[in-house]
């Protein structure tokens, strides 16, 4: 089947000064923990998870069990993209990895009065969420948790997909791309990747572009991954 062309865009995002400081502190802690402990895939990915959460704007306090909001950098970049797409009459799919990110995106859309559909782990009426996005002109944005919406869904009402955050699975990444670039799509597709400069985001994006086994690469090269 011949599908329309697509374009990939990496949009650099700068963390605010305070958020960048928080990120560097977490990075130092991660390095110290790995340098003084056993280096396994699970341990490395756990540390990189903390850094990915920070670039998305939220960190979890393991002691108190609370989530702290540390940055609006990606959210502001996403808001600009959505505003432009809505003005141009285009629908948008947004993929995010973490629930606090999804909740932040939801709040932004509600505050702006923009209709949206949502699927993440706790969503029950998934087929209805997809139907509304595909058929209802007032539903402009689809928010999907990366691990939950990667397979099977048809979201061809949108020709723009934004990767707000990424996980370490190339399969999840490829499957999520196929939600808009599939049979039924008539328009050229645009994939926008929000990547915080000088962070683990850049390393994950590089590995995905080269179709690498991210878990293996990160275990073998964890020092370079934590060197900004």
């Amino acid at each position: 089947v011949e599908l329309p062309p697509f374009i990939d865009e990496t949009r650099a995002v700068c963390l605010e000064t305070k958020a960048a400081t928080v990120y560097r502190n977490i990075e130092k802690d991660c390095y110290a923990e790995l340098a003084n402990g056993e280096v396994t895939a699970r341990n490395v990915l756990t540390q990189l998870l903390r850094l990915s959460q920070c670039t998305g704007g939220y960190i979890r306090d393991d002691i108190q069990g609370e989530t702290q909001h540390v940055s609006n950098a990606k959210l502001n970049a996403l808001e600009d993209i959505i505003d432009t797409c809505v003005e141009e009459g285009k629908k948008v799919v947004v993929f995010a990895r973490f629930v606090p990110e999804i909740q932040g995106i939801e709040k932004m859309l509600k505050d702006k009065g923009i209709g949206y559909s949502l699927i993440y782990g706790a969503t029950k009426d998934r087929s209805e969420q997809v139907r509304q996005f595909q058929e209802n002109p007032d539903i402009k944005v689809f928010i999907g948790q990366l691990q939950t919406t990667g397979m099977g869904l048809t979201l061809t009402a949108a020709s723009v997909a934004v990767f707000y955050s990424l996980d370490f699975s190339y399969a999840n990444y490829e499957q999520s791309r196929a939600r808009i670039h599939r049979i039924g799509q008539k328009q050229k597709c645009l994939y926008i990747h929000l990547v915080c400069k000088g962070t683990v985001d850049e390393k994950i994006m590089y590995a995905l572009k080269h179709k690498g086994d991210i878990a293996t690469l990160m275990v073998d090269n964890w020092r370079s991954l934590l060197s900004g």
Side-chain angles (χ1 to χ4, degrees), residues 1-152:
V1 176
E2 190 169 329
L3 294 173
F6 63 84
I7 299 171
D8 280 296
E9 177 185 334
T10 299
R11 191 162 298 190
V13 177
C14 292
L15 289 174
E16 306 91 337
T17 302
K18 185 176 179 180
T21 300
V22 171
Y23 181 90
R24 296 305 166 202
N25 288 336
I26 295 173
E27 190 175 50
K28 290 176 185 176
D29 290 343
C30 292
Y31 192 99
E33 288 189 31
L34 289 171
N36 296 320
E38 183 182 5
V39 178
T40 65
R42 182 175 181 178
N43 290 345
V44 173
L45 295 178
T46 296
Q47 300 305 326
L48 296 176
L49 176 77
R50 296 167 60 194
L51 295 172
S52 293
Q53 288 174 328
C54 185
T55 64
Y58 300 89
I59 57 174
R60 181 175 174 80
D61 185 328
D62 292 330
I63 297 175
Q64 298 184 5
E66 298 177 351
T67 299
Q68 300 176 33
H69 181 201
V70 296
S71 173
N72 280 319
K74 281 190 177 180
L75 193 63
N76 290 340
L78 177 65
E79 184 175 1
D80 289 343
I81 293 167
I82 289 174
D83 285 347
T84 299
C85 288
V86 170
E87 288 175 7
E88 295 176 352
K90 296 178 180 177
K91 292 193 175 191
V92 190
V93 174
V94 181
F95 293 109
R97 180 181 183 184
F98 302 110
V99 172
E101 295 173 341
I102 291 170
Q103 292 171 337
I105 295 167
E106 267 198 287
K107 183 179 184 306
M108 180 264 288
L109 294 173
K110 286 178 179 177
D111 290 346
K112 296 175 72 68
I114 295 175
Y116 65 92
S117 288
L118 167 66
I119 293 182
Y120 70 118
T123 305
K124 304 297 183 185
D125 57 338
R126 298 186 179 188
S127 60
E128 178 62 16
Q129 294 294 316
V130 172
R131 189 189 70 78
Q132 285 288 330
F133 181 72
Q134 288 287 94
E135 299 177 8
N136 187 341
D138 294 326
I139 304 299
K140 306 294 186 183
V141 179
F142 181 94
I143 311 168
Q145 190 171 22
L146 196 65
Q147 309 91 305
T148 306
T149 55
M151 296 287 286

